[in-house]
Amino acid sequence: MAKITFITTDNKTITLEGTSGSVMQLAVDNSVPGIDGDCGGVCSCATCHVHVAPEHQTKTGEATEIETDMLELNDYANEQSRLCCQIEISDALDGIVLQVAESD
Amino acid sequence: MKKSALPDPFETARNTKGYGEMNDQNDPVTMILGHKDVRKCAHNWKTFQSGATPGRIVVPSEVNIRDTRQIPFEVDPPEHKGYRAIVEPWFKRPLEADYTAALTKQINAIVDEVLTKDAVEVVEGFSLRLQSRALTLLLNTPYEEAETWISWGTHVFRSEGNALDGEKANILYDYIDENISKAIENPGNDLYSMLLKATLDGKKLTREEIKGVVVLTFSGGRDTIVNAVTNAIAYFAEHPKSLLKLKNEPEIACKAVEELIRYFSPLTHMGRVVTGDTEVCEHAVKADSRISLCWASANRDARVFENPNEVILDRKINPHVGFGFSHHNCLGATHARQIMNILVNTLAEKVTSIDIIDYKENIEDLDEFKRKVGYDKLTVKFNGQ
């Protein structure tokens, strides 16, 4: 079981618990504003963009090259960016805080 | 080669030069072919403009048959953002439970109907009907309206053998004008009425702007959805194990839809007008010339997709650009994805096999490239469970 906290673009805090699947799916299932997951989690739409605080980045591991390429052209991306469809839920994520990214 | 295969005509040019060239009505187009280049150019709206003369970014160009600017598709940032914000919530409605239920009912009905027939011509007899009926949900207009759109045939904006057909396009424009007038007189809960109520920077949209949104709604999702649905039927006909796999593993439906869209790429490419002299793939492109973002080519780029010419229904990582990329990604993608998702699930549930009886491929002529985008005709027999 992992506790995952989302901070929305209007600074609301939503904490959810998950055991499996992707962080995107957890967010979509619980209607976290700003996480749409349009493509269902295959890394093609970038509508599940989050920023991971530096102190939590070891919990998520590194983005793959394809995910990095996807983020490279996102106007709101920075070195903390991840697509949360590519973050699998496990106990390792417990306590993580994710800032939902701005989008156009 | 299987009848359902959509070959990739761009591979050599993509790997050797990165671009192709075509002459479109004496307004040439440099086609960008590589996945990374396509995405970079799509993102660079300052150099590669959408807000050009209405109709010019479409390939083949429609400048000779229309003056109405399609919105938000033919508008660049920053103005684009305001228009998109008006229409975005409306085009996300397909995610709502009532909408999904109504669409499921429509698709169940048409699949049940074709299962009773010995032969079905899929393009007109299945895909066009399915698309037209589904469009009544997107516009939130009466179901009966679909009969009018079906009667226009698949080529209401373009006629066979003639890329530009102003007379045919006028049927649509007159129809939309009439419906805007009706909504002014009797506002309801349809797309026309929503647009009549909407404001941008404190001002109501003009009639021309409303028309621009509605024209885009009709034209953007017609042949694209017809092609996606028809190609899916052809694919399942020749891959009955896929239907079984989808039946046994319904959880892969979302991935399957993305993969079918990648492989089919129902819209081959979309143009942009170059705002200043620049270069793409070490090739000079002049100001006021055109490039096109070739989604179909990018979606077969082996530098990004393993086994790009194979359909892998449960492909996990699939950064395809079948719905475009960046600011102008497909406004109707949510609706299209729902149609495909429900269709895939319904076929898996009700159909065991499909036999192809006859077919005629639809081959696009892109000068140095000839691309199969779907079918002009596809006659099949659906076999139920």
Side-chain angles (χ1 to χ4, degrees):
Chain A
M1 181 78 76
K3 270 194 180 176
I4 298 169
T5 298
F6 297 88
I7 300 171
T8 63
T9 50
D10 54 358
N11 274 323
K12 288 194 180 115
T13 298
I14 300 170
T15 300
L16 302 169
E17 288 182 350
T19 50
S20 63
S22 75
V23 172
M24 179 278 288
Q25 201 57 53
L26 180 73
V28 169
D29 290 346
N30 291 279
S31 306
V32 174
I35 305 285
D36 294 341
D38 289 343
C39 74
V42 296
C43 202
S44 86
C45 69
T47 60
C48 63
H49 179 193
V50 293
H51 296 295
V52 185
E55 62 271 26
H56 292 302
Q57 282 178 328
T58 51
K59 295 180 186 217
T60 63
E62 299 270 308
T64 62
E65 191 184 341
I66 282 177
E67 186 185 333
T68 308
D69 280 354
M70 195 76 191
L71 287 162
E72 186 194 15
L73 295 173
N74 188 303
D75 294 339
Y76 300 95
N78 60 23
E79 63 282 358
Q80 297 169 15
S81 287
R82 290 295 309 268
L83 296 178
C84 64
C85 70
Q86 300 302 306
I87 305 175
E88 282 296 310
I89 298 176
S90 72
D91 290 349
L93 288 189
D94 192 36
I96 197 168
V97 178
L98 303 168
Q99 171 75 51
V100 177
E102 292 278 342
S103 65
D104 278 324
Chain B
M1 174 137 349
K2 290 201 169 193
K3 293 168 192 165
S4 64
L6 266 74
D8 168 24
F10 308 107
E11 185 179 6
T12 306
R14 183 175 61 240
N15 292 338
T16 54
K17 297 190 299 181
Y19 67 93
E21 290 173 283
M22 69 172 281
N23 180 27
D24 171 25
Q25 303 157 70
N26 298 318
D27 187 4
V29 181
T30 301
M31 300 171 67
I32 313 302
L33 303 177
H35 187 269
K36 212 164 203 169
D37 291 325
V38 164
R39 293 212 308 192
K40 275 190 180 166
C41 292
H43 190 64
N44 185 358
W45 55 269
K46 286 184 180 160
T47 308
F48 304 114
Q49 176 192 43
S50 294
T53 305
R56 193 172 174 213
I57 62 168
V58 185
V59 186
S61 166
E62 295 173 356
V63 287
N64 294 324
I65 61 160
R66 70 171 163 97
D67 302 312
T68 299
R69 180 173 298 284
Q70 294 187 0
I71 293 174
F73 150 72
E74 290 178 321
V75 185
D76 286 304
E79 290 80 17
H80 172 266
K81 193 172 184 173
Y83 286 116
R84 181 93 187 201
I86 290 173
V87 292
E88 189 93 56
W90 184 273
F91 283 83
K92 289 273 184 191
R93 287 164 49 252
L95 296 173
E96 293 169 7
D98 288 355
Y99 193 114
T100 308
L103 188 54
T104 305
K105 195 176 159 196
Q106 285 186 2
I107 292 178
N108 265 288
I110 198 165
V111 171
D112 285 341
E113 187 191 328
V114 295
L115 277 167
T116 65
K117 298 186 174 173
D118 291 335
V120 178
E121 197 292 294
V122 176
V123 178
E124 295 251 358
F126 185 84
S127 306
L128 176 65
R129 291 169 64 209
L130 189 157
Q131 185 273 339
S132 298
R133 291 171 183 178
L135 187 61
T136 64
L137 296 174
L138 190 61
L139 269 66
N140 209 19
T141 49
Y143 180 76
E144 296 71 38
E145 286 297 291
E147 291 308 315
T148 304
W149 310 331
I150 293 165
S151 76
W152 293 342
T154 49
H155 296 281
V156 68
F157 315 107
R158 293 178 184 166
S159 58
E160 248 173 277
N162 181 4
L164 300 170
D165 192 330
E167 277 184 31
K168 278 200 159 186
N170 284 337
I171 296 173
L172 174 70
Y173 293 157
D174 291 347
Y175 172 85
I176 291 170
D177 264 329
E178 195 184 314
N179 278 282
I180 294 172
S181 297
K182 278 186 196 164
I184 291 169
E185 284 165 30
N186 287 305
N189 295 318
D190 51 26
L191 175 63
Y192 308 99
S193 304
M194 182 280 278
L195 293 168
L196 283 163
K197 272 186 265 178
T199 55
L200 181 62
D201 300 329
K203 283 188 206 157
K204 292 212 163 193
L205 299 183
T206 64
R207 190 183 182 101
E208 182 68 3
E209 287 171 320
I210 292 170
K211 201 167 154 186
V213 173
V214 181
V215 173
L216 174 63
T217 308
F218 271 91
S219 63
R222 191 161 174 103
D223 56 341
T224 45
I225 286 188
V226 168
N227 281 338
V229 169
T230 308
N231 285 331
I233 301 293
Y235 178 80
F236 290 132
E238 290 195 313
H239 302 83
K241 281 185 187 162
S242 294
L243 277 179
L244 190 62
K245 184 176 170 73
L246 284 159
K247 185 180 183 178
N248 293 334
E249 301 169 56
E251 68 280 5
I252 68 162
C254 279
K255 289 188 177 73
V257 167
E258 298 303 318
E259 175 66 348
L260 293 171
I261 295 295
R262 178 194 73 82
Y263 183 78
F264 301 150
S265 295
L267 179 66
T268 301
H269 58 169
M270 182 50 67
R272 297 284 189 266
V273 171
V274 183
T275 56
D277 290 353
T278 185
E279 62 174 51
V280 282
C281 315
E282 298 173 344
H283 173 69
V285 284
K286 290 264 182 209
D288 199 40
S289 70
R290 293 190 296 166
I291 64 162
S292 82
L293 311 165
C294 189
W295 320 117
S297 172
N299 282 343
R300 299 294 180 95
D301 193 330
R303 290 166 289 195
V304 178
F305 303 99
E306 213 172 301
N307 299 321
N309 298 316
E310 275 178 42
V311 174
I312 300 166
L313 287 178
D314 53 2
R315 197 183 280 273
K316 287 186 181 61
I317 306 290
N318 194 347
H320 71 82
V321 286
F323 289 116
F325 183 75
S326 203
H327 307 83
H328 287 287
N329 67 72
C330 176
L331 183 61
T334 309
H335 179 68
R337 281 178 162 123
Q338 278 294 38
I339 288 177
M340 290 299 287
N341 219 304
I342 295 167
L343 177 66
V344 159
N345 282 320
T346 308
L347 292 174
E349 187 192 322
K350 293 178 182 276
V351 177
T352 42
S353 64
I354 304 166
D355 304 318
I356 296 178
I357 298 167
D358 191 24
Y359 69 104
K360 180 172 179 277
E361 293 179 340
N362 175 5
I363 310 283
E364 286 181 341
D365 185 351
L366 308 160
D367 280 354
E368 65 177 300
F369 311 109
K370 312 289 176 229
R371 178 182 187 240
K372 175 180 167 187
V373 67
Y375 299 84
D376 289 328
K377 299 273 176 212
L378 176 72
T379 306
V380 307
K381 163 92 173 83
F382 290 89
N383 303 304
Q385 300 200 347

